[in-house]
Amino acid sequence: MIEISRQYLEITNINQLKDSNYSHEECKIGLVKKTDFQLNKFLYRQIGKDHRWIDRLSWSDQTWQHYLNDKYVDTYILEVKNEVAGYFEKIFHLETNEVEIAYFGVLKDYREKNYGGYLLSNAIKISFQKNIRRVW
């Protein structure tokens, strides 16, 4: 049996962010249209296979579409030289005024090149653009 540990992090003020110093003109982060569930599905499978993500493997296309059509769920894509390199999903929790970074990761070819820190720093900054209580 393999033991898997899950850790949760939180930040309650944007001033707590130790921003990634990595910045490069070849990178851009953009919001994905809600209709593009195949991209989320692909990234979940490709990134998740190295991290034992299994909870969504059985989702139908209809379930993916329903989830991503939620007005409180947004997906952002990291592109490096116009190639998809990673993503994050953020969920706004109205009742607690918080943002959950539900899934986050970079594709294997982009790991250990500072793209993960860059993406996470930007995910936190994007999340704090609304006057929220915390990001977790």
Side-chain angles (χ1 to χ4, degrees):
M1 178 178 357
I2 297 173
E3 182 177 320
I4 298 173
S5 67
R6 206 176 264 194
Q7 298 180 10
Y8 296 90
L9 305 174
E10 73 174 3
I11 182 169
T12 57
N13 185 312
I14 191 65
N15 295 326
Q16 295 172 322
L17 177 64
K18 292 187 182 351
D19 198 0
S20 166
N21 292 325
Y22 184 82
S23 177
H24 203 283
E25 60 191 42
E26 68 186 19
C27 296
K28 71 179 181 179
I29 297 172
L31 182 63
V32 175
K33 293 180 183 177
K34 296 277 187 179
T35 57
D36 200 3
F37 74 91
Q38 291 291 354
L39 185 56
N40 286 69
K41 186 176 174 180
F42 168 79
L43 290 167
Y44 175 86
R45 288 177 185 269
Q46 291 304 307
I47 294 168
K49 68 183 174 185
D50 294 330
H51 304 290
R52 300 191 189 279
W53 295 353
I54 59 170
D55 53 319
R56 295 183 181 180
L57 292 178
S58 63
W59 280 17
S60 67
D61 287 353
Q62 184 179 20
T63 302
W64 275 102
Q65 190 66 60
H66 178 73
Y67 168 72
L68 293 172
N69 279 336
D70 184 320
K71 68 181 179 180
Y72 296 116
V73 175
D74 287 319
T75 301
Y76 290 81
I77 297 295
L78 168 66
E79 290 184 351
V80 177
K81 297 181 182 176
N82 296 317
E83 296 288 328
V84 173
Y87 85 125
F88 70 92
E89 292 176 5
K90 85 178 176 62
I91 304 171
F92 175 64
H93 295 277
L94 181 64
E95 66 283 356
T96 57
N97 196 35
E98 299 175 344
V99 170
E100 172 187 358
I101 298 175
Y103 282 90
F104 163 89
V106 293
L107 293 166
K108 196 170 199 165
D109 290 346
Y110 297 93
R111 294 184 193 150
E112 299 182 24
K113 298 178 182 176
N114 296 318
Y115 294 120
Y118 174 78
L119 182 59
L120 183 57
S121 289
N122 281 280
I124 292 168
K125 288 180 205 175
I126 289 167
S127 296
F128 270 108
Q129 286 177 347
K130 295 185 178 181
N131 190 21
I132 60 163
R133 195 173 72 75
R134 78 174 179 140
V135 176
W136 56 281

